[in-house]
Amino acid sequence: MEYDEYRRHDAVGLAALVASGEVKPAELLETAIARAEEVDPRLNAIVRPMHDIARERAKTPLSGAFAGVPFLIKDLMQDYAGLPTGSGSRALATQPMPEHAEVVRRWLDAGLVVFGKTNTPEFGAKGITEPKVNGPTRNPWNTAHTPGGSSGGSAAAVAAGIVPAAGGNDGGGSIRIPAACCGLFGLKPGRGLVPSGPAYAEVLHGAAVNGVLTRSVRDSALMLDVIAGHDPAGPYVPGAPDGPYLELARREPGRLRIGYATESPIGTDVSPEAVAAVEDAIALLRELGHEVEEAVTGVDERQLARDFLTMWFASMAAEVDHVRQATGCGEDQFELDTRVMAAVGRATNAPTYIASHNRWNEHSHRLALFHETYDLLLTPTLAHPPARVGQLATPAWMEAASRLLLVVRGAGLLAKTDLVDRVAAENLRWTPYTQLANITGRPAMSVPTYWTEGGLPLGVQFVGGLGSEGQLLSLASQLEEARPWFDREPPVL
């Protein structure tokens, strides 16, 4: 199959071609590999090619909703048996995993042909994809800019046409942020809907979930049908929707009441382009018959940001300790930023951590009250257009201070000052809107309805109530029909 024809189809369309016998899985795979070899040297999206494994699989009888469709998985939380899950870390680059993650097993059962793993920052801890061990991934729309993170490798690969869909996960925006940066659709499912096992019962207390990045809404809907549902070893029995997600995506959403906000919830600056993206979406939504008005969530989102980072830092400490114990590696195998986050996490005492986690219930309660009035919350996905590669790197002066703190074991002092709040504001300044859905466990999506004057995508976010994945998909389909984005292709490739 020629590449131009390959790109004209989404994953559902390619699966239909395979099912009809018009094309063989091996042909699709070779087209995908050829596209990767053509463009990935400029993008650095794929960090672990699996061509031989994929070629052998493509020769076998395949069945399932996506039988024969080429696919990429993220090199974080998506274990493939016998291969390392590097997690963007030098410490894990060579450690093979004993079994498939449940979500990977479900993708394989659906007939997908996995031929590589995609780049991610170390342990998924940043909204950019610039790990020291693998180097930065670049945005296909402008390679001087980031594709976002932490699912930046997957987003770059989908936007560049290597695959129509790729695996991602989202613990603080890591599906929605790269979707917004790369002109893609990205849905973060609600807590517990998609399994995290068998390595984890849940990740980050359920704040982190698996999903995909796609160019079409129906691909995301059918992918959710494939991966959602009860895991016998998991901690939840998720509620079932009133039909397949693919069917729900085809339904009319009806007249929705949508509350919007553009101010940064943590008080940081917001670019005029991010505001313009929301204003553009508001105009489109009103044209489609929805009621849209400015609103406030009632959530103390500055406190939510602090609670998010308390959990994040402590999780980094636990992850670093676990990896060191499992591999015998030294502290120097981790990036400096990771070591600092871990040090601050270790300095957080147990009562402080439990109090912070208990506040998640308060934040969820406040957002539930908001959803009694509004079906959805609309915000920018990003406060600024995609940053330039290296722009969000830790400044040299902060690196020097961090090294000193580690030497003198000053993380405890650091944790008790307002410096953590200032560092948090700086780190979340670009992405202050996305953590709300993770902490509260609500589904949320980024929709690519806007491009800046400079030609960079800048998506908008919708946050729904519990179990609203179908409603979000329905609205996304309506927006996709009214403002199509599928055929938009990065000009630099």
Side-chain angles (χ1 to χ4, degrees):
M1 173 180 279
E2 295 295 326
Y3 170 71
D4 287 345
E5 183 183 0
Y6 174 78
R7 189 180 174 91
R8 283 199 296 270
H9 297 278
D10 61 2
V12 172
L14 291 176
L17 293 179
V18 172
S20 69
E22 294 180 55
V23 66
K24 297 182 187 304
E27 296 175 73
L28 293 182
L29 176 61
E30 293 307 323
T31 301
I33 290 174
R35 180 62 175 173
E37 290 176 343
E38 177 188 359
V39 301
D40 200 44
R42 285 174 278 171
L43 301 177
N44 193 34
I46 302 171
V47 295
R48 193 174 303 279
M50 299 164 52
H51 297 175
D52 291 343
I53 292 172
R55 284 175 171 137
E56 288 302 312
R57 177 170 168 80
K59 295 175 185 177
T60 65
L62 297 170
S63 61
F66 291 104
V69 177
F71 193 65
L72 296 166
I73 57 177
K74 184 178 177 180
D75 199 25
L76 176 73
M77 287 172 54
Q78 295 177 2
D79 300 342
Y80 195 100
L83 296 178
T85 297
S87 304
S89 178
R90 184 177 290 105
L92 292 173
T94 61
Q95 299 292 316
M97 304 307 297
E99 58 186 325
H100 295 319
E102 178 61 25
V103 69
V104 171
R105 192 184 313 279
R106 293 183 184 191
W107 280 323
L108 294 174
D109 288 346
L112 289 161
V113 179
V114 177
F115 69 99
K117 305 192 77 177
T118 60
N119 205 7
T120 180
E122 188 164 50
F123 304 127
K126 296 181 180 179
I128 54 175
T129 303
E130 300 176 18
K132 303 291 188 188
V133 66
N134 295 319
T137 298
R138 297 178 179 273
N139 194 322
W141 290 91
N142 185 326
T143 54
H145 291 258
T146 182
S150 64
S151 307
S154 289
V158 174
I162 296 172
V163 285
N169 34 55
D170 192 318
S174 291
I175 287 175
R176 290 159 289 153
I177 292 166
C181 288
C182 293
L184 304 175
F185 178 67
L187 173 71
K188 181 200 82 70
R191 179 179 286 124
L193 185 61
V194 178
S196 299
Y200 306 93
E202 56 181 3
V203 179
L204 305 181
H205 301 303
V209 295
N210 285 300
V212 293
L213 294 109
T214 66
R215 287 169 52 223
S216 76
V217 175
R218 72 175 185 173
D219 274 359
S220 284
L222 187 55
M223 284 284 182
L224 193 56
D225 282 322
V226 164
I227 62 176
H230 176 52
D231 175 7
Y236 302 109
V237 178
D242 61 354
Y245 288 109
L246 183 59
E247 175 58 35
L248 296 179
R250 293 176 178 143
R251 296 181 187 176
E252 288 294 319
R255 181 180 173 86
L256 299 176
R257 191 172 189 200
I258 300 171
Y260 78 88
T262 56
E263 289 187 7
S264 166
I266 61 173
T268 49
D269 60 314
V270 179
S271 77
E273 289 170 305
V275 175
V278 171
E279 291 174 343
D280 176 75
I282 291 169
L284 178 57
L285 289 162
R286 286 174 174 162
E287 287 176 17
L288 294 170
H290 302 293
E291 181 182 351
V292 189
E293 64 184 36
E294 191 168 10
V296 294
T297 63
V299 177
D300 183 348
E301 294 197 51
R302 294 194 191 205
Q303 182 61 58
L304 182 142
R306 289 191 288 269
D307 293 335
F308 173 82
L309 287 167
T310 296
M311 175 270 297
W312 199 265
F313 294 156
S315 297
M316 284 299 103
E319 186 68 18
V320 166
D321 290 351
H322 169 73
V323 171
R324 290 194 65 186
Q325 183 178 19
T327 66
C329 74
E331 189 92 1
D332 61 349
Q333 292 299 296
F334 304 97
E335 294 182 18
L336 178 61
D337 288 352
T338 299
R339 293 162 59 196
V340 170
M341 285 187 278
V344 174
R346 291 187 194 100
T348 302
N349 61 45
T352 298
Y353 186 88
I354 294 299
S356 176
H357 187 226
N358 284 344
R359 279 192 295 270
W360 289 26
N361 180 62
E362 179 182 340
H363 304 318
S364 298
H365 178 67
R366 293 289 181 184
L367 188 59
L369 291 176
F370 172 87
H371 280 124
E372 288 181 3
T373 301
Y374 299 99
D375 297 297
L376 301 172
L377 168 67
L378 166 65
T379 73
T381 308
L382 311 174
H384 300 271
R388 296 181 71 85
V389 171
Q391 181 180 341
L392 301 180
T394 303
W397 69 266
M398 190 176 291
E399 284 197 350
S402 298
R403 291 183 191 280
L404 179 60
L405 282 168
L406 290 172
V407 168
V408 301
R409 300 186 181 275
L413 177 62
L414 176 63
K416 295 176 182 177
T417 71
D418 69 349
L419 183 56
V420 169
D421 281 351
R422 286 187 280 152
V423 170
E426 180 60 28
N427 287 343
L428 298 181
R429 181 178 69 86
W430 186 53
T431 57
Y433 304 100
T434 52
Q435 296 79 34
L436 172 65
N438 298 92
I439 290 290
T440 61
R442 269 54 178 174
M445 66 182 182
S446 183
V447 185
T449 54
Y450 189 82
W451 268 253
T452 70
E453 290 185 4
L456 288 169
L458 191 57
V460 294
Q461 175 184 235
F462 293 87
V463 179
L466 280 178
S468 65
E469 287 87 356
Q471 184 179 64
L472 289 167
L473 288 164
S474 175
L475 175 61
S477 294
Q478 186 183 54
L479 294 171
E480 182 181 38
E481 182 177 358
R483 184 78 62 79
W485 60 75
F486 183 83
D487 292 326
R488 297 191 70 149
E489 188 169 3
V492 298
L493 301 177

